[in-house]
């Protein structure tokens, strides 16, 4: 199986320093700083945003695969991951993560969709990697 990689470099101290993160594929390279991590609207990215992107992408694929495996091929699956970065005793923590997904799935009933959506959350590889974090799911089955 493939090994995925990314790298990051940080220059300076925590509050006035800055860094750069780069995906091994070259598909993304971006700046990050204390301000882009601890606030909103300061330009640049942060580790939590990248975790959100990874989780949203992985969950969308996992749900699509689970639905298709159960005989319900989706037309569309869209997921947003909200990663909360909060102060805790001794520092900061990622907790919780909210997955908000909408799907168009012809011929499936609500109960079956919800069951498969929950199973996909448990079986998504990124969800497994983040198992120490409270992961919440809000799954909506849209009309065709």
């Amino acid at each position: 199986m493939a090994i995925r990689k990314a790298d990051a470099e940080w220059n300076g101290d925590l509050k006035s320093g800055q860094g750069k993160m780069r995906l091994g594929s070259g598909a993304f390279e971006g700046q990050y700083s204390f301000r882009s991590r601890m606030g909103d609207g300061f330009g640049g990215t942060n580790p939590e945003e990248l975790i959100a992107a990874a989780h949203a992408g992985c969950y969308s694929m996992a749900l699509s695969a689970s639905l298709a495996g159960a005989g319900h091929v989706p037309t569309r699956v869209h997921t947003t991951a909200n990663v909360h970065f909060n102060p805790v005793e001794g520092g900061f923590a990622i907790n919780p993560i909210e997955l908000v997904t909408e799907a168009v799935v012809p011929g499936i009933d609500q109960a079956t969709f919800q069951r498969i959506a929950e199973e996909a959350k448990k079986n998504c590889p990124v969800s497994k990697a983040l198992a120490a974090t409270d992961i919440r799911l809000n799954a909506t089955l849209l009309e065709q």
Side-chain angles (χ1 to χ4, degrees), residues 31-67:
Q31 303 294 318
Y32 71 117
S33 66
F34 181 81
R35 288 183 59 165
S36 71
R37 189 169 196 191
M38 304 308 270
D40 289 322
F42 296 112
T45 190
N46 55 70
E48 293 73 29
E49 186 173 51
L50 297 176
I51 289 170
H55 207 174
C58 187
Y59 181 75
S60 289
M61 292 177 76
L63 178 56
S64 180
S66 294
L67 287 163

Side-chain angles (χ1 to χ4, degrees), residues 6-98:
D7 64 86
E9 181 174 311
W10 186 261
N11 298 297
D13 67 12
L14 176 63
K15 290 194 175 181
S16 64
Q18 58 186 356
K20 179 170 43 175
M21 291 188 264
R22 179 177 39 243
L23 301 183
S25 66
F28 171 81
E29 182 175 314
Q31 303 294 318
Y32 71 117
S33 66
F34 181 81
R35 288 183 59 165
S36 71
R37 189 169 196 191
M38 304 308 270
D40 289 322
F42 296 112
T45 190
N46 55 70
E48 293 73 29
E49 186 173 51
L50 297 176
I51 289 170
H55 207 174
C58 187
Y59 181 75
S60 289
M61 292 177 76
L63 178 56
S64 180
S66 294
L67 287 163
H72 303 283
V73 177
T75 303
R76 177 179 172 269
V77 174
H78 178 267
T79 304
T80 300
N82 299 305
V83 174
H84 295 253
F85 185 58
N86 297 307
V88 297
E89 186 176 327
F92 285 83
I94 293 171
N95 201 11
I97 296 174
E98 301 162 337

Side-chain angles (χ1 to χ4, degrees), residues 55 59 62 99 115-129 131 135 137:
H55 207 174
Y59 181 75
L99 295 174
R115 180 182 53 76
I116 293 172
E118 282 293 333
E119 289 173 7
K121 181 186 85 166
K122 294 174 193 166
N123 294 319
C124 164
V126 172
S127 291
K128 288 179 181 180
I135 300 170
L137 176 63

